[in-house]
Amino acid sequence: MTFLPLRRLLLLLTLATMTTAAVAAGKTVTLLNVSYDPTREFYDAFNAAFATDWKRRTGGSVIINQSHGGSGKQARAIIDGLEADVATLALGYDVDALSVQGHLIAADWQKKLPYNSTPYTSTIVFLVRTGNPKGIRDWGDLIKPGVAVITPNPKTSGGARWNYLAAWAWAKSRPGGSDATAEAFVKALYRNVPVLDSGARGSTMTFVERGIGDVLLAWENEALLAVRELGAGKFQIVIPSQSILAEPPVTIVDRFVDKHGTRAVAEAYLRFLYAPEGQLLAAQHYFRPRDVAVGAKYTGQFPTVKLVTIDQAFGGWRAAQAAHFADGGSFDRIYEAY
Amino acid sequence: MQAALAPTIPFTARKPRRVLPGFGLSLGYTILYLSLVVLIPLAAIFLKTADLGWNRFLQVVGTPRVVAALELSFGAAAAAALVNTFAGLLVAWVLARYEFPLRRLVDALVDLPFALPTAVAGIALTALYAPNGLLGRLLEPLGIKVAYTPLGIVVALVFIGLPFVVRTVQPVLEDLDHEVEQAAATLGANGVQIFLRIVLPAVWPALLTGFTLAFARAIGEYGSVIFIAGNMPMRSEIAPLLIVTKLEQYEYAAATGIAVVMLLISFFLLLGINALQAWSQRRLLGTT
């Protein structure tokens, strides 16, 4: 048995390492996905699945970094220079800001991917304590005296804006409903809110950990998470007679994918959200999938509920924002008379 | 804030030649440093606010909600600083004057609020004082609500402000000459008289500085307050939260507008406290 001289062996090893490193470096792409709070667990699983799929199809490796936070805060971070390749935020208004305030994406971004660029949806449901001691069945029960409602501040929380609009749309759809009755209803609802957290996760903690309130207005995915994982047996979900179709959109950030040369992989990443595997993962993480076949497997998890869309009921995000959440909007009027 | 720390030296007409040279260099460096660290960022805030124009500026800062938030922020900060002035003096006195087991440990505990991330403090205090919390559960039957009320804000601000008073007063107390107190005692002064006539005048400037620091720190505090406040508009919403709210709506100029008002009020309050300090110092020195 002959041995290689040590020096030659080391040289060979070094060369081999350098070649592998060079090959790997040549093909490894890094993506940054800037998202909102409740998608943390979903994208952890999705990123791994996409990396495997990408490797299988192209042979290249892709590393996806995640950033999570309040939706508005995340949009502001991107505008202020966080170089996200893709943005997956809580509502269209925040993605719009990337176009209007940041000039980072085209104004017609929402038309670039199927279903308004929202591969998965959610809705707003009620989370109550087990046994539903206050007998909360629908929106109307939330304004009864003695019912404490937990919802975040719609000025700072994307989720809270969906809550607010869902309440408004329900009140307006009542017999004899109008903008005036809807405003009165929402006003009465906020009279029953004892704590106004700045974000959706904060409200969930107030309700679940601090034991404040009788009902939490929550994303369906947060509510399912709370019921199954945070406090099994302590909470139950109440589905109101009508709610809103919450569409958290996704987009490529044009400016930064062009700068990084990552457009192809970023596009594939977002497309994979619409593929059966991505849809399945979304459903497993409590987001309503768009894919009918995947949805059919999860009908038990996602009960049928009458949903209005923001375009039907409010004429889109820009109009909703101006009428309700901008300075002097309907939300400001609620607290004016205090 | 920096100015409050500087001891006020009575102005003498003819200055003696300094032993250590380098006045020009050190002054130049001071001005450069203060410009980079303090003045330029502050100027940026004023510049951004100028985008608003007078009308819109007054509109933004004059709304009842902003006024209520400013009142709450400054009121709670003053209340907390006042509590800390008394409690801090007591803690400093005990640490400076007595030897007891674990004194060093207690001494180190005082600094903890400095080191702890404020969000951690806020969450911990909220967990304690929430109606289902360890302390909140005991206070609830008495009708005292702390978490999610302005009282909770004061509690959080007391927590973060305590070290400022203790750490400014303690060294002065340690340097205080016991013999003066003993002399007063031999001359027939009682305990209260010794404290009011001997000890208090000596620690008064440091106490005022401690109050100022605790107050200034509390005005801008965000991290800990946000968890315990409940954030109800007109009732328990602090001004820094309104600034963040404006930012979330991409209204940068409106956000800096509120910041400018906070800065101006803080500046004049601190200036007033400094003047008070200088005046009391002069009066004290004048009597000797």
Side-chain angles (χ1 to χ4, degrees):
Chain A
M1 210 173 173
T2 52
F3 289 93
L4 280 171
L6 184 63
R7 257 172 70 171
R8 198 180 291 171
L9 179 70
L10 282 178
L11 189 72
L12 274 175
L13 276 176
T14 317
L15 276 176
T17 326
M18 279 167 64
T19 339
T20 0
V23 168
K27 285 194 172 175
T28 300
V29 199
T30 310
L31 282 187
L32 175 60
N33 176 5
V34 172
S35 192
Y36 62 112
D37 261 331
T39 57
R40 203 178 301 261
E41 294 80 8
F42 164 57
Y43 276 110
D44 275 348
F46 177 81
N47 291 346
F50 174 71
T52 315
D53 183 70
W54 181 253
K55 181 133 213 160
R56 189 176 53 72
R57 280 190 292 146
T58 67
S61 338
V62 57
I63 296 169
I64 298 132
N65 294 320
Q66 280 295 134
S67 165
H68 295 275
S71 184
K73 197 171 287 158
Q74 294 291 76
R76 205 148 42 74
I78 298 173
I79 292 169
D80 293 343
L82 178 65
E83 297 197 351
D85 298 283
V86 297
T88 54
L89 299 175
L91 39 93
Y93 180 72
D94 288 328
V95 181
D96 247 1
L98 299 183
S99 160
V100 178
Q101 263 86 14
H103 309 291
L104 299 169
I105 58 174
D108 64 343
W109 61 271
Q110 198 146 21
K111 300 209 168 63
K112 297 200 170 165
L113 285 164
Y115 302 109
N116 274 334
S117 288
T118 37
Y120 43 82
T121 64
S122 192
T123 185
I124 300 302
V125 299
F126 304 162
L127 192 67
V128 298
R129 303 191 188 277
T130 296
N132 196 358
K134 295 278 168 98
I136 290 153
R137 304 261 169 268
D138 204 354
W139 292 99
D141 298 323
L142 301 183
I143 61 168
K144 285 183 182 159
V147 173
V149 183
I150 303 296
T151 177
N153 186 341
K155 292 237 176 193
T156 47
S157 156
R161 277 178 227 171
W162 290 114
N163 296 348
Y164 186 97
L165 295 177
W168 186 286
W170 176 85
K172 205 177 161 179
S173 72
R174 300 280 84 199
S178 67
D179 278 334
T181 63
E183 186 164 335
F185 174 75
V186 171
K187 198 167 194 161
L189 194 160
Y190 273 84
R191 286 275 183 274
N192 279 351
V193 175
V195 176
L196 213 51
D197 284 292
S198 59
R201 273 281 153 101
S203 281
T204 308
M205 294 324 258
T206 299
F207 185 76
V208 172
E209 303 287 334
R210 308 275 164 266
I212 308 265
D214 304 303
V215 51
L216 172 75
L217 308 188
W219 292 99
E220 184 179 46
N221 52 296
E222 282 277 279
L224 283 164
L225 193 75
V227 166
R228 309 234 169 134
E229 281 157 45
L230 285 179
K234 291 201 304 216
F235 309 102
Q236 65 188 63
I237 292 174
V238 171
I239 308 277
S241 65
Q242 176 192 310
S243 192
I244 194 161
L245 179 70
E247 297 182 303
V250 300
T251 184
I252 285 175
V253 185
D254 291 310
R255 169 93 58 87
F256 297 131
V257 291
D258 290 341
K259 184 175 170 191
H260 302 160
T262 48
R263 181 175 283 276
V265 59
E267 263 167 14
Y269 180 75
L270 293 187
R271 289 271 167 201
F272 193 64
L273 284 168
Y274 291 88
E277 201 179 343
Q279 291 283 294
L280 194 67
L281 281 171
Q284 280 167 3
H285 290 89
Y286 314 121
F287 291 97
R288 291 185 176 221
R290 292 286 196 180
D291 189 306
V292 182
V294 174
K297 289 187 213 155
Y298 284 87
T299 42
Q301 182 170 309
F302 303 117
T304 322
V305 49
K306 189 184 156 212
L307 296 174
V308 298
T309 71
I310 184 139
D311 292 333
Q312 287 165 7
F314 298 94
W317 261 115
R318 260 172 246 193
Q321 180 75 22
H324 300 292
F325 309 121
D327 278 355
S330 72
F331 180 70
D332 276 353
R333 288 199 290 275
I334 289 178
Y335 287 104
E336 253 167 21
Y338 249 121
Chain B
M1 223 167 106
Q2 211 53 38
L5 276 173
T8 341
I9 298 161
F11 186 75
T12 42
R14 217 179 311 137
K15 282 179 186 153
R17 240 184 97 79
R18 284 183 182 78
V19 181
L20 292 173
F23 170 71
L25 188 66
S26 58
L27 180 71
Y29 177 76
T30 304
I31 290 175
L32 174 74
Y33 187 76
L34 281 180
S35 303
L36 285 178
V37 175
V38 182
L39 287 180
I40 292 178
L42 289 190
I45 292 177
F46 278 86
L47 268 181
K48 187 85 211 170
T49 308
D51 287 358
L52 282 177
W54 276 112
N55 281 338
R56 178 91 180 99
F57 173 74
L58 292 176
Q59 213 178 4
V60 167
V61 302
T63 56
R65 205 166 147 198
V66 174
V67 173
L70 286 169
E71 278 172 11
L72 176 66
S73 272
F74 284 94
L82 212 60
V83 171
N84 271 332
T85 306
F86 288 101
L89 177 62
L90 186 71
V91 173
W93 176 266
V94 169
L95 288 175
R97 282 300 167 93
Y98 303 113
E99 266 310 325
F100 53 92
L102 301 179
R103 195 184 69 96
R104 296 213 169 277
L105 189 74
V106 175
D107 200 34
L109 272 181
V110 171
D111 285 330
L112 265 189
F114 271 150
L116 206 64
T118 50
V120 177
I123 293 171
L125 288 172
T126 312
L128 270 180
Y129 286 103
N132 68 354
L134 219 53
L135 291 174
R137 206 179 303 158
L138 302 175
L139 294 172
E140 180 98 274
L142 307 174
I144 304 171
K145 282 195 177 134
V146 180
Y148 313 118
T149 66
L151 185 60
I153 301 177
V154 176
V155 168
L157 296 180
V158 165
F159 178 83
I160 57 145
L162 178 72
F164 290 96
V165 179
V166 178
R167 287 297 175 243
T168 44
V169 175
Q170 194 181 353
V172 179
L173 278 176
E174 277 165 357
D175 286 348
L176 211 61
D177 204 342
H178 290 250
E179 285 168 14
V180 185
E181 291 161 50
Q182 284 158 4
T186 60
L187 291 171
N190 60 31
V192 177
Q193 280 172 325
I194 294 175
F195 180 77
L196 289 180
R197 311 285 281 271
I198 309 287
V199 179
L200 199 60
V203 299
W204 179 247
L207 204 57
L208 211 54
T209 302
F211 172 84
T212 314
L213 289 175
F215 179 59
R217 174 77 176 79
I219 293 168
E221 174 60 16
Y222 177 78
S224 61
V225 174
I226 225 63
F227 293 97
I228 202 167
N231 308 323
M232 297 305 292
M234 308 298 288
R235 216 172 61 218
S236 59
E237 186 177 51
I238 55 167
L241 174 64
L242 274 182
I243 295 177
V244 174
T245 306
K246 297 282 179 208
L247 285 177
E248 300 279 324
Q249 296 173 272
Y250 312 106
E251 294 179 16
Y252 287 51
T256 54
I258 301 175
V260 159
V261 174
M262 287 192 78
L263 268 175
L264 288 177
I265 299 177
S266 304
F267 181 76
F268 284 109
L269 280 175
L270 296 181
L271 203 67
I273 297 173
N274 274 358
L276 179 70
Q277 196 176 23
W279 173 78
S280 59
Q281 189 96 343
R282 255 201 318 277
R283 221 180 51 136
L284 280 174
L285 291 171
T287 54
T288 50

